[in-house]
């Protein structure tokens, strides 16, 4: 008798997957910030739209990082996405402390956007039980 694998998926360890997801989220953040800055510099969008651009970049970054982490790990999607979002949020807080002398503004909005990105990814792959099975009983003729 052979061993029966847990779910058939082989993935990397949970800490390595979460770290890869955080790194991917940070890379998407840097690229997205550069794109938003380029759009503002070229006057394609106004400076007042910078907040919306930052919101979109944060949502996309958190979602991308959670998706990559859950794809690499292969199981425990909600835990992996939550840990990735938490790590990404802590990286954002540490960057604020490092570059802006700890002037925290909009922390709750940022936390909610990161949470929305991670939860959106974790809920996408869920499958229901398929609902109740209604089977008709066939009575044999007598």
């Amino acid at each position: 008798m052979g061993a029966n694998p847990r779910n058939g998926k082989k993935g990397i360890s949970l800490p390595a997957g979460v770290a890869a997801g955080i790194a991917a989220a940070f890379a998407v953040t840097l690229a997205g910030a550069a794109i938003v800055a380029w759009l503002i510099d070229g006057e394609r969008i106004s400076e007042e739209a910078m907040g919306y651009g930052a919101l979109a970049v944060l949502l996309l970054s958190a979602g991308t990082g959670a998706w990559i982490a859950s794809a690499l790990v292969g199981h425990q999607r909600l835990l992996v996405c939550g840990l990735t979002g938490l790590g990404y949020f802590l990286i954002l807080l540490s960057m604020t402390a490092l570059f802006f002398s700890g002037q925290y503004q909009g922390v709750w909005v940022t936390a909610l956007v990161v949470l929305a990105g991670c939860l959106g990814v974790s809920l996408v792959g869920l499958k229901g039980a398929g609902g109740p099975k209604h089977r008709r009983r066939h009575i044999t003729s007598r």
Side-chain angles (χ1 to χ4, degrees):
M1 277 199 173
N4 191 6
R6 207 175 31 217
N7 58 5
K9 295 181 182 178
K10 293 183 179 179
I12 62 175
S13 69
L14 192 128
V18 168
I22 292 170
F26 191 65
V28 171
T29 302
L30 291 177
I35 290 171
V36 170
W38 176 71
L39 288 173
I40 291 174
D41 184 48
E43 296 181 358
R44 289 175 182 83
I45 60 173
S46 65
E47 289 183 26
E48 289 82 25
M50 184 170 51
Y52 296 115
L55 182 89
V57 167
L58 285 174
L59 188 67
L60 182 70
S61 299
T64 303
W67 178 69
I68 288 174
S70 67
L72 288 175
V73 173
H75 57 89
Q76 295 180 337
R77 180 187 297 258
L78 184 63
L79 178 67
V80 170
C81 290
L83 288 176
T84 304
L86 179 67
Y88 175 60
F89 182 68
L90 291 175
I91 292 288
L92 290 175
L93 283 180
S94 65
M95 290 296 153
T96 301
L98 184 64
F99 293 124
F100 299 110
S101 302
Q103 295 178 349
Y104 298 105
Q105 295 177 350
V107 174
W108 294 110
V109 175
T110 302
L112 288 176
V113 170
V114 169
L115 178 69
C118 292
L119 278 181
V121 169
S122 65
L123 293 177
V124 165
L126 293 181
K127 297 177 185 171
K133 304 283 189 233
H134 297 290
R135 294 186 179 144
R136 297 177 69 175
R137 286 184 54 179
H138 294 285
I139 300 174
T140 59
S141 61
R142 299 178 196 211

PDB file of all heavy atoms in Angstrom, residues 77-78 81 116-127:
ATOM      1  N   ARG A  77      -5.070  28.172   2.633  1.00  0.00           N
ATOM      2  CA  ARG A  77      -5.120  29.425   1.893  1.00  0.00           C
ATOM      3  C   ARG A  77      -5.409  30.631   2.782  1.00  0.00           C
ATOM      4  O   ARG A  77      -4.767  31.669   2.655  1.00  0.00           O
ATOM      5  CB  ARG A  77      -6.162  29.336   0.791  1.00  0.00           C
ATOM      6  CG  ARG A  77      -6.278  30.597  -0.028  1.00  0.00           C
ATOM      7  CD  ARG A  77      -7.430  30.521  -0.997  1.00  0.00           C
ATOM      8  NE  ARG A  77      -7.269  29.481  -1.977  1.00  0.00           N
ATOM      9  CZ  ARG A  77      -6.877  29.710  -3.230  1.00  0.00           C
ATOM     10  NH1 ARG A  77      -6.617  30.910  -3.624  1.00  0.00           N
ATOM     11  NH2 ARG A  77      -6.772  28.719  -4.070  1.00  0.00           N
ATOM     12  N   LEU A  78      -6.373  30.527   3.693  1.00  0.00           N
ATOM     13  CA  LEU A  78      -6.740  31.662   4.529  1.00  0.00           C
ATOM     14  C   LEU A  78      -5.598  32.059   5.456  1.00  0.00           C
ATOM     15  O   LEU A  78      -5.286  33.238   5.614  1.00  0.00           O
ATOM     16  CB  LEU A  78      -8.000  31.346   5.335  1.00  0.00           C
ATOM     17  CG  LEU A  78      -8.564  32.471   6.180  1.00  0.00           C
ATOM     18  CD1 LEU A  78      -8.996  33.624   5.288  1.00  0.00           C
ATOM     19  CD2 LEU A  78      -9.724  31.986   7.010  1.00  0.00           C
ATOM     20  N   CYS A  81      -2.737  33.653   3.290  1.00  0.00           N
ATOM     21  CA  CYS A  81      -3.088  35.007   2.844  1.00  0.00           C
ATOM     22  C   CYS A  81      -3.076  35.986   4.009  1.00  0.00           C
ATOM     23  O   CYS A  81      -2.627  37.127   3.866  1.00  0.00           O
ATOM     24  CB  CYS A  81      -4.456  34.996   2.168  1.00  0.00           C
ATOM     25  SG  CYS A  81      -4.467  34.153   0.587  1.00  0.00           S
ATOM     26  N   ALA A 116      -8.507  43.799   2.673  1.00  0.00           N
ATOM     27  CA  ALA A 116      -9.436  43.523   1.571  1.00  0.00           C
ATOM     28  C   ALA A 116      -8.732  42.794   0.428  1.00  0.00           C
ATOM     29  O   ALA A 116      -9.294  41.862  -0.161  1.00  0.00           O
ATOM     30  CB  ALA A 116     -10.048  44.820   1.060  1.00  0.00           C
ATOM     31  N   GLY A 117      -7.515  43.202   0.118  1.00  0.00           N
ATOM     32  CA  GLY A 117      -6.779  42.520  -0.949  1.00  0.00           C
ATOM     33  C   GLY A 117      -6.480  41.074  -0.617  1.00  0.00           C
ATOM     34  O   GLY A 117      -6.632  40.186  -1.457  1.00  0.00           O
ATOM     35  N   CYS A 118      -6.075  40.826   0.624  1.00  0.00           N
ATOM     36  CA  CYS A 118      -5.742  39.459   1.028  1.00  0.00           C
ATOM     37  C   CYS A 118      -6.979  38.585   1.181  1.00  0.00           C
ATOM     38  O   CYS A 118      -6.973  37.422   0.779  1.00  0.00           O
ATOM     39  CB  CYS A 118      -4.956  39.480   2.328  1.00  0.00           C
ATOM     40  SG  CYS A 118      -3.332  40.198   2.142  1.00  0.00           S
ATOM     41  N   LEU A 119      -8.036  39.138   1.747  1.00  0.00           N
ATOM     42  CA  LEU A 119      -9.262  38.354   1.896  1.00  0.00           C
ATOM     43  C   LEU A 119      -9.914  38.065   0.549  1.00  0.00           C
ATOM     44  O   LEU A 119     -10.497  37.002   0.356  1.00  0.00           O
ATOM     45  CB  LEU A 119     -10.249  39.077   2.807  1.00  0.00           C
ATOM     46  CG  LEU A 119     -10.025  38.920   4.298  1.00  0.00           C
ATOM     47  CD1 LEU A 119     -11.082  39.669   5.074  1.00  0.00           C
ATOM     48  CD2 LEU A 119     -10.000  37.470   4.709  1.00  0.00           C
ATOM     49  N   GLY A 120      -9.810  39.009  -0.365  1.00  0.00           N
ATOM     50  CA  GLY A 120     -10.356  38.766  -1.695  1.00  0.00           C
ATOM     51  C   GLY A 120      -9.701  37.583  -2.366  1.00  0.00           C
ATOM     52  O   GLY A 120     -10.368  36.738  -2.966  1.00  0.00           O
ATOM     53  N   VAL A 121      -8.393  37.485  -2.233  1.00  0.00           N
ATOM     54  CA  VAL A 121      -7.675  36.360  -2.830  1.00  0.00           C
ATOM     55  C   VAL A 121      -8.006  35.057  -2.102  1.00  0.00           C
ATOM     56  O   VAL A 121      -8.185  34.011  -2.726  1.00  0.00           O
ATOM     57  CB  VAL A 121      -6.151  36.615  -2.806  1.00  0.00           C
ATOM     58  CG1 VAL A 121      -5.367  35.379  -3.168  1.00  0.00           C
ATOM     59  CG2 VAL A 121      -5.817  37.743  -3.753  1.00  0.00           C
ATOM     60  N   SER A 122      -8.120  35.115  -0.780  1.00  0.00           N
ATOM     61  CA  SER A 122      -8.384  33.880  -0.038  1.00  0.00           C
ATOM     62  C   SER A 122      -9.796  33.366  -0.281  1.00  0.00           C
ATOM     63  O   SER A 122     -10.044  32.170  -0.185  1.00  0.00           O
ATOM     64  CB  SER A 122      -8.145  34.092   1.458  1.00  0.00           C
ATOM     65  OG  SER A 122      -9.080  35.013   1.977  1.00  0.00           O
ATOM     66  N   LEU A 123     -10.740  34.252  -0.605  1.00  0.00           N
ATOM     67  CA  LEU A 123     -12.106  33.814  -0.848  1.00  0.00           C
ATOM     68  C   LEU A 123     -12.352  33.359  -2.277  1.00  0.00           C
ATOM     69  O   LEU A 123     -13.328  32.663  -2.537  1.00  0.00           O
ATOM     70  CB  LEU A 123     -13.084  34.942  -0.506  1.00  0.00           C
ATOM     71  CG  LEU A 123     -13.177  35.321   0.965  1.00  0.00           C
ATOM     72  CD1 LEU A 123     -14.118  36.485   1.139  1.00  0.00           C
ATOM     73  CD2 LEU A 123     -13.611  34.148   1.805  1.00  0.00           C
ATOM     74  N   VAL A 124     -11.487  33.728  -3.197  1.00  0.00           N
ATOM     75  CA  VAL A 124     -11.707  33.392  -4.602  1.00  0.00           C
ATOM     76  C   VAL A 124     -11.669  31.886  -4.830  1.00  0.00           C
ATOM     77  O   VAL A 124     -12.483  31.339  -5.556  1.00  0.00           O
ATOM     78  CB  VAL A 124     -10.660  34.100  -5.499  1.00  0.00           C
ATOM     79  CG1 VAL A 124     -10.619  33.508  -6.881  1.00  0.00           C
ATOM     80  CG2 VAL A 124     -10.977  35.565  -5.573  1.00  0.00           C
ATOM     81  N   GLY A 125     -10.784  31.191  -4.197  1.00  0.00           N
ATOM     82  CA  GLY A 125     -10.622  29.772  -4.467  1.00  0.00           C
ATOM     83  C   GLY A 125     -11.501  28.857  -3.652  1.00  0.00           C
ATOM     84  O   GLY A 125     -11.409  27.638  -3.785  1.00  0.00           O
ATOM     85  N   LEU A 126     -12.354  29.406  -2.780  1.00  0.00           N
ATOM     86  CA  LEU A 126     -13.196  28.542  -1.961  1.00  0.00           C
ATOM     87  C   LEU A 126     -14.288  27.905  -2.803  1.00  0.00           C
ATOM     88  O   LEU A 126     -14.872  28.519  -3.672  1.00  0.00           O
ATOM     89  CB  LEU A 126     -13.832  29.343  -0.822  1.00  0.00           C
ATOM     90  CG  LEU A 126     -12.881  29.865   0.242  1.00  0.00           C
ATOM     91  CD1 LEU A 126     -13.676  30.614   1.297  1.00  0.00           C
ATOM     92  CD2 LEU A 126     -12.123  28.731   0.884  1.00  0.00           C
ATOM     93  N   LYS A 127     -14.544  26.667  -2.491  1.00  0.00           N
ATOM     94  CA  LYS A 127     -15.603  25.946  -3.183  1.00  0.00           C
ATOM     95  C   LYS A 127     -16.580  25.459  -2.121  1.00  0.00           C
ATOM     96  O   LYS A 127     -16.194  24.947  -1.087  1.00  0.00           O
ATOM     97  CB  LYS A 127     -15.043  24.749  -3.943  1.00  0.00           C
ATOM     98  CG  LYS A 127     -14.080  25.130  -5.024  1.00  0.00           C
ATOM     99  CD  LYS A 127     -13.515  23.900  -5.678  1.00  0.00           C
ATOM    100  CE  LYS A 127     -12.451  24.293  -6.675  1.00  0.00           C
ATOM    101  NZ  LYS A 127     -11.721  23.149  -7.180  1.00  0.00           N
TER     102      LYS A 127
END
